[in-house]
Amino acid sequence: MSKSKICSHLIAACTLAVLLSACSVSKKTSKTTNMPPPTVSKPVQEVKKDNGKKEDKAAPFNVPAFGREVKKVAYNIALFSPLYLDSVFSNTTEIPGRTLPRYVLPGLDFYEGVQLALDSLQMQGVKLNVVVYDSKARQNNPQTLLHNKALDSTDLIIAAVGTPELKELSDVAREKQINLVSATYPNDGGINSNPFLLITNSLLKTHGEALQQYLQDAFATKNILILSRNTALEKHLVADFKADYEKTTSAKKSRLREVVWSDATTDAELSQYLIADRPNLCIVTSLDETSAKDIMRKLSVQMATYPIQVFGMPTWDVMKFKEPEFKGMQIYYTSPYFNDKTDAYSRYITDYFKRVYKSRPSDMAFKGFELTWYFVKQLSDKGVYFNGSINDPSKRVFSNFNYQPVYLKEGETTPDYFENKNIYIIQKGDSSDVKMNMQN
């Protein structure tokens, strides 16, 4: 990271350390920024009936709260992000070594993206009261905040948190009937019976379903292989793929062939599964870079004889395949996010970060901006319970979202949570990645 970026993060972190010294900061911004092109309509006046709520009507997804229209002059938002201020500023407001620990940067970048979206929206007429919580601060435990009634008037929670914070926040959101956007954690954290939870970073099972459908539909002839190690996690992923195969109804459906590999797997053993006259679509279930590259090196040896395309996991989005043996190999991965950074929003964010922080925004900053913009516009347009029209393409920033109800048990009529089911198939490129499933 450049010295200028370190300094900018240092200033931001020090400011936050002061503002968050109690437990949170109420943020009402007034910065001057160049606006991104889209405009935001002004919020509708609050409907005051029965404590600001209309009477229940036919409730979407059998959730009574979703049938209420609750519109306000100003909306209250709680942002949770892992800033680690207790660790960084344990004894002083000075950062040791004048550099921030790397583990702080994702949460800080997310916060910076959120802040830019909030500044822009408020300057366009959206009235907000925003409270920022360091999710790693002891005093910001969700149950403590619940006990202190700190979240009682909250209309929306945006959280870039993992375990155990997501489960704790989910319990609060369910009790208080607050929509909770899980921004970055690709897991449900064992949560059920909470229709107010919106999972944006899709579960691995959902990635597998989308990948299977893509491979079955996109190729007339193919040889589909699932290459996995003999580990509990990868065996579970293979089982999910097989279950998805049984449910697939594509007219082009081809069977899956499982290949269990290890370091001892020979070229001859691997070649027995490959076919020379059709694409060999190799699904690699390795989530870590070392294992992924180990099997890809074995596949690279076969490329001279067999047409091979490699499809990896969502964790591959940050992996670099610059080694000579991977030259010419077609490599793909799945992701719920796609941003080629050429649109007006991206240029606006990039220009702002260059001007203010003297650096380029990270993917976490883009995610913070995107989700804040998307859901605040939902609040502004539809009110607190926007769930009946949650997949509104007019609110789109970079990615398309497709939040669908998830029912964990057969016969349930109320969702256990909502999950973003939109998955992009993305090809790794030398300079930039390319989206393949153009319908999304």
Side-chain angles (χ1 to χ4, degrees):
M1 186 169 63
S2 68
K3 182 177 179 180
S4 60
K5 183 167 185 179
I6 291 172
C7 292
S8 65
H9 280 302
L10 175 65
I11 294 170
C14 288
T15 303
L16 282 170
V18 174
L19 293 174
L20 296 172
S21 59
C23 71
S24 63
V25 52
S26 180
K27 180 177 179 297
K28 298 182 182 179
T29 57
S30 59
K31 292 182 181 178
T32 301
T33 57
N34 295 322
M35 292 296 99
T39 60
V40 179
S41 59
K42 292 186 177 180
V44 181
Q45 295 293 313
E46 182 174 4
V47 177
K48 295 194 174 182
K49 184 175 182 179
D50 295 335
N51 276 336
K53 298 178 180 180
K54 280 189 174 180
E55 294 178 353
D56 290 358
K57 56 184 179 180
F61 308 105
N62 293 310
V63 180
F66 294 172
R68 302 179 187 136
E69 185 179 77
V70 185
K71 293 186 176 181
K72 298 184 175 182
V73 173
Y75 291 96
N76 304 312
I77 298 175
L79 169 68
F80 287 80
S81 189
L83 302 172
Y84 295 94
L85 299 179
D86 287 349
S87 300
V88 177
F89 301 99
S90 56
N91 298 310
T92 177
T93 57
E94 294 294 323
I95 297 178
R98 307 296 295 173
T99 60
L100 284 168
R102 295 190 66 84
Y103 63 81
V104 174
L105 299 183
L108 183 56
D109 287 347
F110 186 83
Y111 164 79
E112 289 170 345
V114 170
Q115 176 180 265
L116 178 56
L118 292 171
D119 290 344
S120 304
L121 288 162
Q122 291 189 99
M123 292 184 67
Q124 292 186 359
V126 181
K127 296 182 179 180
L128 304 168
N129 301 310
V130 182
V131 183
V132 181
Y133 295 97
D134 178 1
S135 63
K136 294 300 182 180
R138 291 182 295 274
Q139 67 268 30
N140 290 338
N141 177 276
Q143 286 302 316
T144 300
L145 297 175
L146 178 65
H147 178 74
N148 295 336
K149 302 184 183 302
L151 299 174
D152 280 9
S153 61
T154 300
D155 300 312
L156 176 69
I157 301 172
I158 300 175
V161 300
T163 184
E165 294 92 350
L166 180 60
K167 177 64 168 64
E168 295 166 349
L169 277 174
S170 173
D171 291 342
V172 173
R174 177 172 53 193
E175 180 173 338
K176 294 296 182 180
Q177 298 189 340
I178 305 167
N179 277 315
L180 163 61
V181 179
S182 176
T184 55
Y185 191 49
N187 201 305
D188 62 15
I191 295 167
N192 56 56
S193 303
N194 185 7
F196 299 92
L197 173 63
L198 306 167
I199 298 176
T200 303
N201 198 359
S202 316
L203 278 63
L204 273 175
K205 188 177 188 302
T206 299
H207 286 265
E209 292 169 353
L211 179 56
Q212 171 115 226
Q213 193 68 46
Y214 176 77
L215 296 182
Q216 296 289 2
D217 289 345
F219 297 86
T221 60
K222 63 269 188 182
N223 176 37
I224 305 179
L225 306 177
I226 306 179
L227 296 101
S228 64
R229 284 185 179 270
N230 188 25
T231 66
L233 175 58
E234 294 197 39
K235 284 193 288 188
H236 181 74
L237 292 175
V238 171
D240 283 343
F241 271 105
K242 290 180 176 179
D244 295 336
Y245 172 80
E246 296 300 325
K247 294 184 292 186
T248 300
T249 59
S250 172
K252 302 176 183 179
K253 184 174 178 177
S254 295
R255 72 187 182 97
L256 306 180
R257 303 173 68 196
E258 182 180 357
V259 181
V260 180
W261 68 278
S262 68
D263 293 339
T265 301
T266 66
D267 294 342
E269 290 171 336
L270 191 56
S271 67
Q272 293 176 7
Y273 296 95
L274 300 171
I275 299 174
D277 64 351
R278 67 192 62 184
N280 294 277
L281 311 177
C282 300
I283 303 171
V284 177
T285 58
S286 298
L287 295 172
D288 66 283
E289 186 165 352
T290 299
S291 295
K293 289 185 174 181
D294 283 347
I295 184 58
M296 288 176 62
R297 288 188 180 92
K298 294 179 183 292
L299 289 171
S300 68
V301 176
Q302 310 288 342
M303 287 174 55
T305 306
Y306 304 100
I308 292 173
Q309 298 183 37
V310 179
F311 294 83
M313 299 293 101
T315 52
W316 290 28
D317 64 338
V318 296
M319 296 183 190
K320 304 296 183 184
F321 299 97
K322 301 297 186 182
E323 292 83 345
E325 57 266 43
F326 302 140
K327 186 175 178 58
M329 180 177 280
Q330 297 182 59
I331 303 170
Y332 306 83
Y333 64 94
T334 57
S335 176
Y337 306 100
F338 181 76
N339 180 10
D340 61 10
K341 299 181 175 64
T342 60
D343 61 283
Y345 285 105
S346 295
R347 293 195 299 272
Y348 165 65
I349 296 167
T350 300
D351 290 346
Y352 179 87
F353 269 71
K354 283 182 179 179
R355 186 173 70 254
V356 176
Y357 299 117
K358 305 296 187 265
S359 66
R360 296 187 63 83
S362 70
D363 285 343
M364 285 294 285
F366 282 107
K367 290 173 183 176
F369 182 97
E370 175 174 44
L371 288 170
T372 303
W373 187 279
Y374 184 86
F375 283 103
V376 169
K377 290 204 55 182
Q378 290 275 27
L379 282 176
S380 178
D381 185 19
K382 302 295 184 182
V384 173
Y385 297 112
F386 47 73
N387 306 71
S389 57
I390 191 171
N391 298 310
D392 185 347
S394 71
K395 310 296 189 293
R396 181 182 185 273
V397 181
F398 314 123
S399 308
N400 287 329
F401 295 129
N402 180 24
Y403 292 96
Q404 293 297 321
V406 174
Y407 303 90
L408 297 177
K409 293 181 181 178
E410 188 175 350
E412 288 185 347
T413 59
T414 302
D416 287 285
Y417 51 79
F418 285 75
E419 180 190 359
N420 175 27
K421 297 287 187 176
N422 188 71
I423 301 295
Y424 295 97
I425 312 298
I426 302 174
Q427 183 175 13
K428 284 283 188 181
D430 292 335
S431 57
S432 62
D433 293 351
V434 180
K435 179 176 64 175
M436 302 304 295
N437 48 340
M438 299 304 293
Q439 71 275 17
N440 289 330

